[in-house]
Amino acid sequence: AGIFQEFMVQEESVMFRINLSVLLDCLTIFGTSSSPGTQTALRMCYRGYGYPLTLFLEEGGVVTVCKINTQEPEEILDFDFCSTNVVNKIILLSEGLREAFSELDMTSEVLQITMSPNKPYFRLSTFGNAGSAYLDYPKDSDLIEAFHCNQTQTNRYKIALLKPSIKALALSCKVSIRTDNRGFLSLQYMIRNEDGQICFVEYYCCPDEDITEQEI
Amino acid sequence: MRFRGKLVDVACLNHFTRVVNTITKLAKTCTLRFTVDKIYFILNDKVANGGVSMWCELNQENFFDEFQMEGVAAEDNEIYLELTSENFSRALKTAQNAKAVKVKLTNKQCPCLTVAVELPSLSSSSRIVTHDIPVGIIPRKLWNDFREPSVPDFDVSIYLPVMKTMKSVVDRMKNLSNSIVIEANQKGEMNLKIETDLVSVATHFKDLGNPPWVPEHASQNSTEKRHPETMAEARIDIKRLLQLLAGQQVNPAKALCNILNKRIVHFILLHEDFSLQYFIPALT
């Protein structure tokens, strides 16, 4: 709520579903790159169940009113990812992961992440058409800001599922990578906006399959 | 029937290129009409192009250094040609830093508009790029199809907002809907609206100003009877509108729009030496 100058919610929480691409088109109605000197102001209102989400946008005296129809919210998949169950946690500068993700072998179906208190500490592996590849981060790398690994964990995650989070990665400055006792992965991206405020985007992914000790 | 023209000045050449490029964006094929002092680009309202029509005229002397023409006959001293507009703009693409461009009507295997571009060269021999654009000669009996569209008595006439703002708004709306409602009144207000199952968006422009039209048929005119705040509106194909907003490269000194309620929207882009009219019929 810090990124809004004013923020007021009368009920405890409101939840509804809207079409995201429609919302994006409405927010960028005056163009994506605002020319210097002009700023678009936004007011967003919702009257309650059954009402549309109303956006008022203003730029240079021109006003746009958008009414986006709201839909029944869908049950949110609860990953039940609880910080007390976290086994391993690494915080690293996003640039370190950005580079790795841009070089990932996308022909591989999965990304295997190894986190361990011992060598190789933090390893990303792929198994593509042209062969396997892995990338290790030393524990004392400048990119790694915090390293709390208690137990060696190796899990595979579908690359197709991780791909959407690359957008958040591109904007972020730091990322916290955590896994819990079930091997669930949590990626927390810290994003600093233009005004220097900090937002978080969280991304959860379940492991692909159990892998036997021999495969590792 | 003869035509020959020569463009020398770089600014004129660039301006002419921009006009032709704009035409290309608006009409795949167009009719080119030469008279003694004017050049016209015409698209008439065939059902095939969604009933859209265009009328663009420029004073030849503001562009051409030399301009000689001899029409079909002394009493009809005009030439009407049909051509694929893209061919013309492609021919002018090579002319960006030309020393001179000659445009003439020739008869090779078929009638052609020949564009000869003289490029700067370091040696004494000159470099000339020639494009032959096949054209169809339109016989005199069909000329009546290409008369200047009559401008009906519009309900509202209004200056357009900054083209760039309007373009980005219409561009976003295009992602959301196929048709757009454009409405305006005589108090300088204009709204662009779309409505679908998912969303309704309305952009309001104000203080645009209304041009002081002198109605041609003042007696039966509806403008006077209209309340200045009453909106005239038309629902039009959003792609046609975007074509005009995104395609125009001429940055007109004045741009205005006339609306005949629920019938037609008429856009006029004005420059000192050039005017473009574009008609988009309302969807039913």
Side-chain angles (χ1 to χ4, degrees), chain A residues 19 21-22 24-26 28-32 35 61-69 71, chain B residues 161 164-165 168-173 175-176 196-206:
Chain A
N19 184 309
S21 67
V22 167
L24 286 173
D25 277 322
C26 289
T28 55
I29 191 102
F30 294 115
T32 38
S35 48
V62 183
V63 176
T64 298
V65 183
C66 310
K67 291 186 179 135
I68 308 175
N69 290 342
Q71 300 161 2
Chain B
K164 214 179 122 218
T165 311
S168 77
V169 168
V170 175
D171 196 29
R172 299 297 149 186
M173 287 182 170
N175 296 340
L176 303 168
T196 68
D197 294 345
L198 290 173
V199 64
S200 78
V201 181
T203 297
H204 307 274
F205 298 92
K206 55 180 186 187

Side-chain angles (χ1 to χ4, degrees), chain A residues 4-214:
Chain A
F4 294 92
Q5 268 97 49
E6 257 179 62
F7 189 88
M8 206 174 72
V9 179
Q10 276 167 350
E11 287 166 51
E12 201 172 302
S13 80
V14 285
M15 186 156 82
F16 51 82
R17 202 166 80 121
I18 52 167
N19 184 309
L20 182 61
S21 67
V22 167
L23 177 65
L24 286 173
D25 277 322
C26 289
L27 288 174
T28 55
I29 191 102
F30 294 115
T32 38
S33 57
S34 58
S35 48
T38 58
Q39 266 195 321
T40 312
L42 165 72
R43 191 154 65 100
M44 194 156 49
C45 312
Y46 177 62
R47 256 182 85 176
Y49 184 81
Y51 284 93
L53 176 72
T54 311
L55 312 181
F56 297 88
L57 296 116
E58 189 270 345
E59 187 183 298
V62 183
V63 176
T64 298
V65 183
C66 310
K67 291 186 179 135
I68 308 175
N69 290 342
T70 51
Q71 300 161 2
E72 292 291 343
E74 265 176 29
E75 202 60 34
I76 296 175
L77 193 59
D78 189 0
F79 279 84
D80 195 23
F81 193 94
C82 183
S83 56
T84 48
N85 294 333
V86 167
V87 177
N88 294 317
K89 175 179 174 180
I90 296 173
I91 298 176
L92 84 166
L93 298 180
S94 297
E95 54 188 284
L97 204 59
R98 264 200 290 272
E99 210 170 299
F101 268 62
S102 68
E103 286 172 7
L104 278 186
D105 179 0
M106 285 299 172
T107 63
S108 170
E109 204 184 316
V110 293
L111 172 69
Q112 181 174 299
I113 301 180
T114 303
M115 290 163 100
S116 164
N118 310 307
K119 258 192 153 181
Y121 304 118
F122 181 41
R123 170 176 287 186
L124 303 175
S125 325
T126 52
F127 314 91
N129 295 341
S132 304
Y134 66 83
L135 189 118
D136 287 352
Y137 290 81
K139 191 179 163 184
D140 52 359
S141 158
D142 288 342
L143 296 167
I144 292 186
E145 208 177 78
F147 188 89
H148 308 286
C149 290
N150 305 311
Q151 187 189 320
T152 302
Q153 260 187 325
T154 298
N155 288 299
R156 290 178 172 190
Y157 305 94
K158 282 225 157 56
I159 284 197
L161 294 175
L162 292 175
K163 246 185 177 173
S165 82
I166 294 180
K167 277 197 178 164
L169 175 65
L171 298 170
S172 66
C173 46
K174 282 181 202 173
V175 52
S176 150
I177 304 166
R178 298 180 299 168
T179 50
D180 71 1
N181 50 1
R182 300 163 301 170
F184 278 50
L185 174 73
S186 147
L187 296 169
Q188 259 182 337
Y189 297 104
M190 189 171 110
I191 297 172
R192 202 186 294 274
N193 76 2
E194 283 157 21
D195 298 332
Q197 284 151 333
I198 286 171
C199 318
F200 289 96
V201 172
E202 294 191 22
Y203 196 85
Y204 297 98
C205 189
C206 59
D208 191 36
E209 60 195 283
D210 291 290
I211 42 172
T212 58
E213 292 292 318
Q214 289 158 328

